[in-house]
Amino acid sequence: MVDPVHVNLLSWDERAGIHARDATGDYMLDRFRAGEDALHAIEAAELGDICGKCVLHLQCHIGRDTLCLVRRGAVATGLDFSGVALDVARRLADETGLKANFVQGTVDAAPHLTPGPFDLVFTTWGTICWLPDVRVWAKVIASVLAPGGELYFADAHPGFAIMEDHAGRLAPQYDFQTPVEQPLEFVNATTYTGDPTVMTQQSTREWIHSLSAIFGALIDAGLTVSMFHEHEVLPWRGLHCLVPASDRLWRLPDGHPRFPLSFSLRAKKAR
Ligand SMILES: C[S@@+](CC[C@H](N)C(=O)[O-])C[C@H]1O[C@@H](n2cnc3c(N)ncnc32)[C@H](O)[C@@H]1O
């Protein structure tokens, strides 16, 4: 059997190169280099003051958001399994003069590679769908957080992730909880930024995690959920029928029954 995590690594290495070129401006790298903040409105509004905090950015990709945390005064470490993505992240750090520590490894290995302790674990937008088991994810987060430390997490809503677009109407297509051993296989010729480059590594394996799996995992890992918000917007065009909203976000078209496309939460480790 193919190792799904390895299949995904091949895809992410290739995507990282395409995202670094940023031909469509989707990652707004030139604007970011020029000093603009690149966090989305949701996390920018919810994050609060992180100045002086020791932050672990899990699945940091090309490091842009890690460096946005540094601009807010955080002492940041970014972890990702893609060496190509981290090369881009280190280049971005050099180009902007922002300092962050970038570490290559899987999320499971974070307690060994980046043990912390951290005041904040930050992980957003397109993360746990790449992880087979959110119980492992939650234990990793609890392990690297300092007593009193917090997780900030924002991602696609599982109620949206199960949908497919049928001529402009969304209908459930996938089970609400993907078994660890039976990931969904997706084949995409191009990446999600709109860049038309046809990829060699088109296949990925992904998991949909239900809200009860996510909350249950965090609670079982000893964390207390202190905030949970649902949002009618998503930072990428997850399905074709989505239309642009303000602030680089996407929403359901007018007339479509409304439901949340994303959610965000905070969870705290006891002191
Ligand atoms: C959609 S990106 C993260 C999004 C990030 N907010 C951004 O756009 O900059 C997902 C990242 O997860 C990383 N990734 C996927 N599976 C991983 C794993 N098992 N361990 C560590 N990183 C992983 C990929 O390399 C990729 O950089």
Side-chain angles (χ1 to χ4, degrees):
M1 195 187 104
V2 291
D3 172 5
V5 174
H6 184 67
V7 169
N8 290 340
L9 175 59
L10 296 177
S11 169
W12 278 110
D13 276 347
E14 187 169 11
R15 282 166 194 255
I18 298 171
H19 296 171
R21 290 198 295 277
D22 201 22
T24 58
D26 195 70
Y27 266 94
M28 55 175 283
L29 294 185
D30 283 340
R31 288 160 58 190
F32 168 73
R33 287 185 188 99
E36 217 177 300
D37 187 31
L39 293 189
H40 285 280
I42 293 173
E43 63 271 25
E46 294 177 342
L47 198 52
D49 181 11
I50 58 166
C51 190
K53 287 197 174 169
C54 212
V55 179
L56 177 61
H57 182 191
L58 283 180
Q59 297 176 251
C60 67
H61 195 41
I62 56 175
R64 183 202 64 182
D65 289 0
T66 322
L67 298 172
C68 288
L69 303 178
V70 174
R71 278 192 180 143
R72 284 168 163 74
V75 178
T77 297
L79 179 133
D80 201 283
F81 72 173
S82 165
V84 178
L86 294 182
D87 286 346
V88 179
R90 292 187 187 105
R91 252 193 342 261
L92 267 183
D94 283 348
E95 288 164 354
T96 54
L98 298 164
K99 287 196 176 28
N101 182 27
F102 289 107
V103 178
Q104 185 174 3
T106 60
V107 169
D108 316 18
H112 307 291
L113 297 173
T114 54
F118 294 95
D119 304 311
L120 178 73
V121 170
F122 175 90
T123 188
T124 58
W125 309 128
T127 54
I128 58 172
C129 62
W130 305 104
L131 306 180
D133 190 340
V134 278
R135 287 169 302 186
V136 175
W137 170 78
K139 280 186 196 143
V140 163
I141 291 164
S143 144
V144 301
L145 278 176
E150 277 194 297
L151 163 70
Y152 177 82
F153 175 52
D155 216 328
H157 199 292
F160 173 69
I162 62 166
M163 300 289 176
E164 276 296 352
D165 187 341
H166 297 279
R169 299 294 284 188
L170 299 187
Q173 178 83 20
Y174 307 105
D175 290 343
F176 80 122
Q177 177 65 57
T178 313
V180 171
E181 302 300 337
Q182 291 162 45
L184 300 167
E185 179 176 3
F186 294 98
V187 177
N188 287 297
T190 57
T191 186
Y192 49 80
T193 59
D195 189 308
T197 304
V198 174
M199 298 186 293
T200 312
Q201 306 296 336
Q202 299 187 355
S203 172
T204 56
R205 304 291 192 277
E206 298 181 36
W207 291 264
I208 295 169
H209 302 290
S210 65
L211 285 183
S212 58
I214 296 165
F215 277 74
L218 293 171
I219 293 164
D220 288 350
L223 301 177
T224 302
V225 177
S226 58
M227 180 206 92
F228 174 63
H229 292 159
E230 294 178 299
H231 310 278
E232 287 190 40
V233 287
L234 188 70
W236 65 97
R237 192 180 193 179
L239 289 174
H240 190 71
C241 72
L242 298 190
V243 297
S246 57
D247 294 333
R248 296 182 291 133
L249 297 167
W250 296 82
R251 63 171 177 84
L252 289 164
D254 291 340
H256 198 289
R258 317 219 72 78
F259 61 88
L261 306 186
S262 64
F263 72 98
S264 54
L265 64 77
R266 303 180 80 96
K268 198 172 174 110
K269 181 166 167 171
R271 283 189 188 279

